[in-house]
Amino acid sequence: MSTNQSRRDFFKTSATAAGGLVLGFGWFSSEAFEPGVLTKAAADTIDFNAYLAIAPSGIITIYSPNPEIGQGIKTAFPIIVAEELDADWSKVKVEQSPLDTKKFERQLTGGSGAIRHSWERLRKAGATARVMLMEAAAKKWSVPLSECSTSKGFVMHSSGKKLSYGELATDAAQITPPTTVKLKDKSNFTLIGTSVKGVDSKAILTGKNLFGIDYKREGMLNAMIQRPPAFGLKLKSFDATEAKKMPGITDVVSFGNKVAIVGKTTWEVMQARKAVKIEWEKEKDLESSADHDRIFKEMLNSTTATVHRKDGDIEAAFKNAYKVIEAEYQCPFLPHSPMEPMNFFAHFKGDSIEMAGPSQTPQNAQNQIAKMFNIAPEKVTIELTRMGGGFGRRLNTDYAVEAAELSSIIKAPVKVTWSREDDTAGGIYRPAVRYRFKASIDKAGNITGYMLHGAGMNAGNATRPDNFPVGAIENTLIQSNDHKSPITTGPWRAPITNFLAYAEQAFLDEVAMAGGKDPIQLRMELLEKAQKSPVGKLTYEPERFREVIKLAADKAGWGKKKKGVYQGFSVYFSHASYVAQIAEMANVKGKPVLKKVYAAVDCGIVINESSAQNQVYGAIVDGLGHAMYGNLTFKDGAPQQDNFNKYRLIRYNEVPDIEVHFVKNGIDPTGLGEPALPPTGGAIANAIFKTTGKRLYNQPFSEQGATLG
Amino acid sequence: MALFNLKINGKTYKADVDANTPLLWVLRDHLDLVGTKYGCGMAMCGACTVHVNGEATRSCVVPVSNVSNATITTVEGLSETGTHPVQEAWDEVDVPQCGYCQAGQMMTASALLAKNANPSDKEIEEAMVGNICRCGTYHRIHDAVKLAAAKMKK
């Protein structure tokens, strides 16, 4: 990384700077927004390292490598660099880097891991350049470095002299970068922890061409692809005679069980698609939701489960129990439903290919496309567009790879766009899962044994074997079965825990009740046990867990609310962050009505307060909406919901009040794209139970009588 | 195919397209006005909302032939530089996450505010319920509509 590279690698003049490329495509918002300033800056911008360049005009360009999906990374990364650089944020311009595996590691959006992974290297990138600027000034003034300091884009001397970063940029770039550099004391942060608006906001709000679906090139064709309408079917034959005669259509071709309709405009392609006659034939089992219900039960009753973790003697614990509590929880398949449907641009050129589009894993796409054409990865260039959501769907590369393949077949630049129906019914879902829990308690209500058996549809290991309460209980067994279904699955925001957290947290409520304990008291006792005498490997920090619980309980006034307010509690640790939530409901004519959700979050240092709040609100709304309504069902392999008229998403009038609090502990930051979602379903379900006495064992809750708003 | 002269954002645009082509795709594919987004194609999500004679309209289900004499405004026409009170409010409240739905959200909100300078929470809800935000920025959308209303009163 930056601090280990030679000056030669650091110093690049405008000829090789990203500026030319950026302006060429008019692609990046911050560029497009003030072309006058940026044209000038780009013309003589000086790169200091992979992350930043400074122009003599004083404009600082910070390159943001990770794909922006709405998690705010394109703003958060530059904030960290600018903090250590002591830059004036009003002079900072942010550019999205294309995929560049030589400059950057982990150009990936997933697992809430970007900040955790890059925190230190971003700080070093800014701090290194800052030292170079200070050295350049010290040299110019012939003063010792120790007499120089920096503030808001200036190097200052104790005598009162000062020079701007712009004035120093050319000289500073000649300085050999230090191999080690001192980072700021966290108490001196002035930008980190404040509220900084999204760097693309102005471009978003004026309708600029930021997203993959907006991408256009000279001579580009548009395509849509008909994929098998049910999982388990394959292409038998097709007749495109009529379709090919339709206006604007240039080609209808088939590859890999698909038929692609290519033409000048999206609408013409959509019309011609209806005229293609396609026959499909059965290749694998055509599963229905009723089959899944049966298969779940078979898996949970089988003796072939894979054991993931075992502590103590679970059988003895159950045998000697004062009471045994058992329950099963089930969730359906879910599509991701990003507002921007899948799409990708590809231009195959024989020995190379240019790609552009929304991807959470551009490097995977690059590797797969390179392999498909038997060319070197660097022959596959990928521009990263802003993503209109993704929620894990764009961690799969299918839609980029098929665009590449189509371009190679038709030998033309083409953008493939999925319709909403394609996007919803075209596969790769959150897997459907069913869990069986069994716990034993002693006379005092303490848990003596805990078993979790997961059964998934292409879920892999549907459990998270080291997650709380494992580590706090003497006897545990965590195991799973998986069914290989033709229905395709993949990560969905907070994979596995997006449902497992609800099931575990609801079950813990059942156990607390059976043992006569308050739900928070039960968890606090378990965490105390995990801290004092952990059982086996412990992957979470009990003290941080307890802090978020205390904060949530304090803010929501747990147990102190007036009559008519019913509270449900949930807490979860995922993606290295801790989140506790308390849902409050009212009983309106026998119906539970959600009024408010409190959240307490420990993600370490908050980089951008406004963005962090936005993420937590959004994750709660997402968790609530999908717990209430999300349900993708199947008949003979075919999804039964394919657009928002049948597949319900939460709307404006259905969100409760939300109040978010962050633990301020100064610990290095972890992730926030996912961790606030898992606890929500449990908090809601536990509040519903308090309100109505009814325990909900299946999602979606709306199909079991729960309503919103 | 037929030639249409469309009045959009105070300019006249020519489009030679099939009369049934939805306004959405004329804007996006023929006129390079890509701020208006495709979301569902069946008026269920509101991502494609534009103003037709001042009314918030789902452009994905309106054939271009129906609007050939209409006055059309897209997000690009609210203001090019983000100075419309709704755009300013959306920016100040820092509404967007992914940002894809926000053009449609703002077009719905601006049509509401043009007719009703002081909408109640219930009236805001009735207007905004047709626009889905998958990232869940509804609270900030609410705050931004309120702020925009306050700005427009000044």
Side-chain angles (χ1 to χ4, degrees), chain A residues 198 205 213-214 216 266-267 336 339 386 391 419-420 610 614 618 622 643 645 650-653 656, chain B residues 22 28-29 32 37-40 42 44 87 94-95 97-98 100 106 124 129 134-135 138-140 142:
Chain A
L205 303 178
I213 204 167
D214 304 335
K216 249 174 223 179
T266 317
W267 180 250
H336 300 77
M339 292 310 292
R386 191 176 178 88
F391 311 100
S419 68
R420 174 56 55 193
S610 171
N614 212 353
D622 190 357
N643 205 323
N645 57 337
I650 191 166
R651 289 178 183 268
Y652 180 93
N653 59 321
Chain B
R28 290 186 58 79
D29 280 356
D32 274 347
K37 295 296 191 251
Y38 166 70
C40 68
M42 62 191 310
M44 288 300 297
Q87 290 169 313
D94 196 25
V95 176
Q97 283 188 34
C98 87
Y100 192 80
M106 289 191 301
I124 296 173
V129 73
R134 173 67 178 84
C135 299
Y138 297 120
H139 297 82
R140 289 192 179 193
H142 174 82

Side-chain angles (χ1 to χ4, degrees), chain A residues 98-318:
Chain A
L99 176 65
D100 188 335
T101 53
K102 290 199 173 70
K103 270 188 186 169
F104 303 110
E105 283 176 29
R106 202 189 182 282
Q107 273 183 280
L108 167 77
T109 292
S112 301
I115 294 283
R116 220 181 331 150
H117 176 265
S118 295
W119 168 243
E120 196 168 311
R121 71 191 64 206
L122 292 167
R123 294 182 71 191
K124 280 182 182 167
T128 304
R130 176 177 165 269
V131 170
M132 290 157 75
L133 290 158
M134 282 169 66
E135 282 188 26
K139 216 166 153 185
K140 211 165 205 166
W141 292 327
S142 301
V143 300
L145 187 62
S146 58
E147 290 174 8
C148 298
S149 62
T150 57
S151 176
K152 292 215 162 200
F154 285 89
V155 178
M156 273 117 43
H157 181 244
S158 48
S159 66
K161 282 187 285 199
K162 64 179 195 175
L163 283 166
S164 76
Y165 286 0
E167 293 171 289
L168 291 164
T170 308
D171 288 346
Q174 309 292 336
I175 305 277
T176 305
T179 48
T180 57
V181 66
K182 193 173 176 302
L183 300 176
K184 270 190 187 177
D185 188 297
K186 289 169 189 170
S187 62
N188 294 331
F189 286 164
T190 55
L191 188 59
I192 287 174
T194 63
S195 282
V196 178
K197 287 175 201 165
V199 293
D200 276 345
S201 277
K202 288 249 164 151
I204 290 167
L205 303 178
T206 52
K208 298 292 188 290
N209 57 339
L210 287 168
F211 299 92
I213 204 167
D214 304 335
Y215 199 84
K216 249 174 223 179
R217 283 277 193 92
E218 193 66 37
M220 180 187 89
L221 296 168
N222 279 288
M224 282 207 159
I225 294 180
Q226 181 63 52
R227 302 168 193 84
F231 295 91
L233 290 181
K234 66 172 183 177
L235 182 65
K236 188 180 177 192
S237 65
F238 73 100
D239 175 2
T241 318
E242 291 305 312
K244 281 184 179 173
K245 289 183 203 156
M246 290 176 70
I249 300 307
T250 57
D251 228 335
V252 179
V253 299
S254 139
F255 61 99
N257 273 327
K258 303 167 189 179
V259 179
I261 299 92
V262 189
K264 287 184 188 147
T265 67
T266 317
W267 180 250
E268 287 168 326
V269 165
M270 282 176 163
Q271 299 316 297
R273 178 180 178 176
K274 293 181 204 159
V276 182
K277 296 180 190 76
I278 307 181
E279 275 195 81
W280 308 94
E281 61 186 342
K282 189 177 159 181
E283 186 185 32
K284 294 175 192 164
D285 286 345
L286 303 176
E287 295 176 354
S288 298
S289 293
D291 298 322
H292 297 144
D293 289 343
R294 176 180 49 78
I295 295 165
F296 277 139
K297 282 174 188 152
E298 287 169 7
M299 286 196 280
L300 290 176
N301 290 327
S302 81
T303 52
T304 60
T306 305
V307 174
H308 303 291
R309 178 157 171 167
K310 206 172 173 178
D311 295 309
D313 184 346
I314 192 76
E315 290 308 323
F318 289 151

Side-chain angles (χ1 to χ4, degrees), chain A residues 33 68-72 196-198 201-202 204-211 213-216 222 224 247 264-268 270 335-341 386-389 391 415 417-421 492-493 608-619 621-622 626 643-646 649-653 655-658, chain B residues 1 17-18 20-22 25-47 60 75-83 86-103 105-106 121 124-126 128-143 145:
Chain A
F33 202 64
E68 174 62 63
I69 200 167
Q71 83 281 42
V196 178
K197 287 175 201 165
S201 277
K202 288 249 164 151
I204 290 167
L205 303 178
T206 52
K208 298 292 188 290
N209 57 339
L210 287 168
F211 299 92
I213 204 167
D214 304 335
Y215 199 84
K216 249 174 223 179
N222 279 288
M224 282 207 159
K264 287 184 188 147
T265 67
T266 317
W267 180 250
E268 287 168 326
M270 282 176 163
H336 300 77
S337 311
M339 292 310 292
E340 180 195 17
R386 191 176 178 88
M387 289 179 267
F391 311 100
K415 180 172 69 185
T417 302
W418 294 43
S419 68
R420 174 56 55 193
E421 288 79 6
W492 194 103
R493 192 180 195 177
N608 182 352
E609 176 74 21
S610 171
S611 172
Q613 288 268 349
N614 212 353
Q615 282 304 303
V616 178
Y617 271 69
V621 171
D622 190 357
H626 282 90
N643 205 323
F644 300 136
N645 57 337
K646 296 178 201 151
L649 290 177
I650 191 166
R651 289 178 183 268
Y652 180 93
N653 59 321
V655 296
D657 284 345
I658 294 175
Chain B
M1 303 291 256
V17 295
D18 183 277
N20 290 324
T21 310
W25 295 111
V26 177
L27 293 171
R28 290 186 58 79
D29 280 356
H30 297 268
L31 306 181
D32 274 347
L33 293 166
V34 296
T36 305
K37 295 296 191 251
Y38 166 70
C40 68
M42 62 191 310
M44 288 300 297
C45 76
C60 70
V75 65
E76 291 92 341
L78 276 187
S79 85
E80 273 182 45
T81 51
T83 52
V86 166
Q87 290 169 313
E88 285 182 348
W90 247 253
D91 184 44
E92 281 174 39
V93 176
D94 196 25
V95 176
Q97 283 188 34
C98 87
Y100 192 80
C101 75
Q102 300 298 349
Q105 305 277 2
M106 289 191 301
D121 284 356
I124 296 173
E125 181 180 307
E126 280 164 10
M128 301 311 299
V129 73
N131 288 72
I132 294 174
C133 173
R134 173 67 178 84
C135 299
T137 63
Y138 297 120
H139 297 82
R140 289 192 179 193
I141 289 170
H142 174 82
D143 293 347
V145 175

